[in-house]
Amino acid sequence: MSLAVAGTGHRPEMLRRKTLANNARILILFSALAMPFAVYGLVTGTAFPFAVAVLGLAGGMITLALHQRRLFEEAAAGQVCILLALGCMLTLADPRLGDAGLAIAVMAPILASLVGRKPLRHQSWALLAGVVGLAGIGAAFAMPAIPVGAGALMATAIVAFVTSVAIIAHTANRINAAYEVYDKAQMTAYRHLIEHVQDGVIRFSSDGEILLASRSSEQLFGCRRYELSGGGLGERLHVLDRPAYLTAFADANQGGKSRVIEVRMRQDDPRAMTSVPRFIWVEISFSPVQDADNAGLRHEVVALFRDITSRKDNELAMAEARRTAEEASEAKSRFLATIGHELRTPLNAVVGFSEMMSSGIGGELSTTHREYAGLIHQSGKHLLEVVRMLLDMSKIEAGKFELQTEPFVVEDMIEPCLSMVEAMAAKHQVTLVTDIASPLPPLVADERACRQILLNLLSNAIKFSHPGGRVTISLKRQGQSLNLSVSDHGVGMAPEALTRIGEPFFQVQDGLSRRYEGTGLGLSIVKGLVDLHEGTLRAMSEIGAGTTVTVLLPINGPAIKTDETAIVTPLRKEPAAAPVHSWQDEKRKAQ
């Protein structure tokens, strides 16, 4: 035990060290009192009492000096050795086997067990065995004893025995007092902790009666502690929460299980102007007091009461905010669907009649009027495309986009999609290149959705390519999936923009000054359709170097059949697709 630990509140160690000093003083005192009689014996020709007194006096002074030098273990060992030495001298002086010397020697291990460490205890028993063996040999072989008179031997033995008994009695009393003080200090610390902890602490007996309630319980319930005894605590429970409280308490009291529940409890407020009760949310943690002597019977229970009203209010606010967001998203989806349907009909008429005017069906137009009709036709088609994308996005978010999966040959959809974007590619002076690996297995998927995925990826790649650039469509098998990639060498994207791929209405260049037109729904629709197929969407890009968007679609459809596609060990783990939060189309019930 270090000095710092002993000096900062470790009471048993401090009292043990004081006991060692007091034992040395007791030994010095008794030796000093016996010294005049020992000197008289020495003058009259009896030197044995004087030798014993000198041994006691010298031993006491040496151990006291060791204690003052803070050599506490050496001081303890010295006092044990002094008792053994006194016992050995008296045993050698008395030829009988059972004498006062053996009694004094036996007290040495007792002293070692009270003030010494484990090695000293073992050594003391070994030395005692040596003293007993020496006494036995002397008694068995009638070895000559130390010459001393019977009266002087008796007086010396009595003084030595009384001194050793005084040392053992004082040590036992002090050590016992030390542990009593330690236990009392521990109880005081625990009581201080219970009284000043923020949570309310209540201890129940095995019969359910309240044995102790902390001061913080008064602040929690707004009443005095004695008002909680009897049925005061149970009356504060909300009627609907009483079954849960009784069940949890029974589990801890009878079953010995710890339980945590959340209940509503009444809190009194003496300053309140109304008599309407105020209930707060309280988290109660029941812990049984395990006792080996009480196995199979009821347990005492310690309960911690914590006010969680603020947390419950926050959870309620979050739930209300979530409900509001869901209603807003649902209203947005309904608005987009309604506006889309309302716009599609007049836009079809605008596109149709503008096309008729441009073709001269309604009569020949002037050059200026034909140019105007062409602009009307082009703008109408653009608006129809925007409306179509809005409708698709609203269906995907509402979870109403149904897939019609069937096997089809993927290569057959490449050429029609390229022909649909040829005009756009020619306008932007972009070359379209295909890289199709063969043979490819049939893909079980929604062919219309796959065409839309490819068209959106091609449109984006062409739109963001530089004049004279190239867009490459690659198709190959990758394990249990089909790899469809569209790459360009255009403007590219920053790493922070890549993390937002698939967000509705997100565009890298935002604001009124952006160079590229669009709604920002193309990749959102692609991501939604890929997730419906339980596929994966990845994008790799670098500013100024271009972008590569890869779509992995399960070959056998959303529910992959391993037996048909075989088991393929991937060389690298594909990143999981980001979850899409689809809002449920549910109506809020009236309260």
Side-chain angles (χ1 to χ4, degrees):
M1 181 65 64
S2 65
L3 299 178
V5 173
T8 55
H10 203 285
R11 298 299 298 278
E13 177 63 17
M14 294 174 60
L15 291 177
R16 184 184 79 95
R17 296 176 180 180
K18 291 181 179 179
T19 302
L20 291 174
N22 292 337
N23 288 345
R25 295 186 180 98
I26 292 174
L27 192 58
I28 293 173
L29 176 63
F30 277 87
S31 300
L33 292 177
M35 184 57 70
F37 301 99
V39 172
Y40 176 77
L42 179 63
V43 173
T44 58
T46 306
F48 182 75
F50 180 77
V52 172
V54 169
L55 175 63
L57 186 61
M61 291 181 177
I62 292 173
T63 54
L64 184 59
L66 290 174
H67 181 275
Q68 292 175 351
R69 292 175 177 269
R70 299 186 179 276
L71 301 175
F72 304 108
E73 302 308 321
E74 289 78 357
Q79 293 178 7
V80 172
C81 292
I82 289 170
L83 292 183
L84 286 170
L86 290 175
C88 183
M89 291 180 64
L90 290 172
T91 298
L92 294 177
D94 194 344
R96 295 174 299 176
L97 180 61
D99 55 5
L102 284 180
I104 295 173
V106 169
M107 294 182 188
I110 299 175
L111 179 62
S113 64
L114 292 175
V115 297
R117 306 298 184 191
K118 190 174 181 179
L120 180 60
R121 299 170 192 171
H122 294 166
Q123 295 169 7
S124 64
W125 283 108
L127 293 175
L128 175 64
V131 173
V132 172
L134 182 62
I137 293 174
F141 296 98
M143 295 179 62
I146 297 176
V148 59
L153 178 62
M154 178 65 68
T156 303
I158 292 174
V159 174
F161 184 77
V162 170
T163 303
S164 60
V165 169
I167 291 175
I168 296 297
H170 173 264
T171 303
N173 180 64
R174 294 288 291 177
I175 297 298
N176 182 56
Y179 281 100
E180 287 182 358
V181 170
Y182 179 74
D183 292 339
K184 185 177 179 181
Q186 291 290 94
M187 293 298 298
T188 303
Y190 290 144
R191 182 173 295 276
H192 178 81
L193 176 64
I194 291 174
E195 289 294 331
H196 294 83
V197 72
Q198 291 184 354
D199 298 339
V201 182
I202 296 180
R203 182 171 182 174
F204 297 90
S205 67
S206 57
D207 297 329
E209 297 293 332
I210 295 179
L211 299 177
L212 179 144
S214 65
R215 183 183 305 171
S216 52
S217 60
E218 297 181 347
Q219 302 176 358
L220 180 63
F221 298 112
C223 65
R224 307 298 296 176
R225 280 181 271 191
Y226 64 83
E227 297 180 20
L228 299 175
S229 60
L233 182 64
E235 293 175 354
R236 294 180 176 277
L237 284 165
H238 196 279
V239 177
L240 299 179
D241 296 330
R242 291 180 182 178
Y245 174 86
L246 294 175
T247 302
F249 183 84
D251 290 342
N253 179 245
Q254 301 177 12
K257 301 177 182 178
S258 298
R259 291 289 306 275
V260 178
I261 59 172
E262 296 177 356
V263 297
R264 289 159 290 185
M265 302 190 74
R266 190 181 78 246
Q267 184 184 59
D268 295 339
D269 187 2
R271 295 170 295 180
M273 302 301 296
T274 61
S275 59
V276 178
R278 178 179 182 267
F279 283 89
I280 60 174
W281 279 98
V282 178
E283 180 186 78
I284 307 177
S285 176
F286 292 104
S287 299
V289 180
Q290 302 292 346
D291 189 356
D293 299 333
N294 199 27
L297 302 177
R298 295 176 179 266
H299 303 273
E300 292 187 356
V301 179
V302 175
L304 297 179
F305 293 77
R306 176 174 297 177
D307 187 355
I308 58 170
T309 306
S310 300
R311 191 183 77 189
K312 283 292 184 178
D313 291 342
N314 293 336
E315 291 177 358
L316 183 62
M318 291 178 62
E320 182 66 19
R322 187 182 301 111
R323 183 190 61 79
T324 304
E326 290 175 355
E327 289 183 352
S329 178
E330 183 181 354
K332 179 203 67 175
S333 300
R334 288 199 305 267
F335 170 77
L336 291 177
T338 303
I339 292 299
H341 286 293
E342 291 296 328
L343 289 177
R344 179 175 287 182
T345 300
L347 283 175
N348 283 328
V350 170
V351 171
F353 284 114
S354 61
E355 186 175 2
M356 291 173 59
M357 293 172 63
S358 299
S359 60
I361 294 177
E364 289 295 330
L365 300 177
S366 63
T367 304
T368 303
H369 290 166
R370 186 177 291 108
E371 181 183 356
Y372 291 165
L375 292 175
I376 293 173
H377 179 71
Q378 182 181 358
S379 300
K381 289 185 66 177
H382 177 72
L383 285 177
L384 275 177
E385 181 66 18
V386 172
V387 170
R388 180 188 64 79
M389 296 177 72
L390 287 174
L391 289 176
D392 290 342
M393 193 65 205
S394 63
K395 286 182 180 180
I396 293 173
E397 284 189 347
K400 295 181 179 180
F401 196 103
E402 298 181 359
L403 297 179
Q404 302 295 330
T405 58
E406 57 182 3
F408 70 96
V409 180
V410 188
E411 299 95 311
D412 294 345
M413 78 171 187
I414 302 297
E415 194 62 32
C417 291
L418 291 178
S419 62
M420 296 178 66
V421 297
E422 277 183 355
M424 182 179 179
K427 180 181 178 181
H428 289 78
Q429 302 177 11
V430 174
T431 304
L432 302 177
V433 180
T434 59
D435 181 14
I436 302 175
S438 61
L440 291 176
L443 178 65
V444 179
D446 190 325
E447 185 175 0
R448 183 180 66 87
C450 292
R451 289 176 183 269
Q452 188 171 356
I453 290 173
L454 182 55
L455 284 174
N456 287 347
L457 294 180
L458 286 173
S459 300
N460 271 357
I462 293 171
K463 181 169 62 174
F464 294 105
S465 293
H466 300 297
R470 184 175 62 178
V471 173
T472 304
I473 306 102
S474 63
L475 198 62
K476 61 182 179 180
R477 176 170 179 169
Q478 183 175 332
Q480 299 178 7
S481 302
L482 194 70
N483 185 313
L484 172 63
S485 298
V486 177
S487 59
D488 62 74
H489 301 281
V491 296
M493 289 184 291
E496 56 271 14
L498 282 176
T499 59
R500 301 185 59 186
I501 287 292
E503 291 186 12
F505 305 104
F506 170 70
Q507 292 176 307
V508 177
Q509 295 183 355
D510 204 354
L512 298 177
S513 61
R514 57 193 176 95
R515 294 173 51 191
Y516 305 96
E517 62 179 10
T519 59
L521 292 175
L523 285 178
S524 301
I525 294 174
V526 170
K527 190 176 188 318
L529 295 176
V530 170
D531 289 339
L532 288 177
H533 284 86
E534 298 182 5
T536 304
L537 175 67
R538 296 183 304 171
M540 294 182 294
S541 182
E542 184 179 350
I543 295 179
T547 303
T548 299
V549 180
T550 302
V551 172
L552 296 177
L553 297 176
I555 294 177
N556 282 338
I560 296 178
K561 306 176 184 63
T562 307
D563 297 336
E564 298 181 12
T565 57
I567 299 176
V568 178
T569 303
L571 297 181
R572 61 180 182 178
K573 185 177 179 182
E574 300 292 343
V580 176
H581 302 285
S582 58
W583 304 113
Q584 300 296 329
D585 187 13
E586 298 178 353
K587 294 183 179 180
R588 183 188 179 194
K589 297 181 180 180
Q591 299 295 332

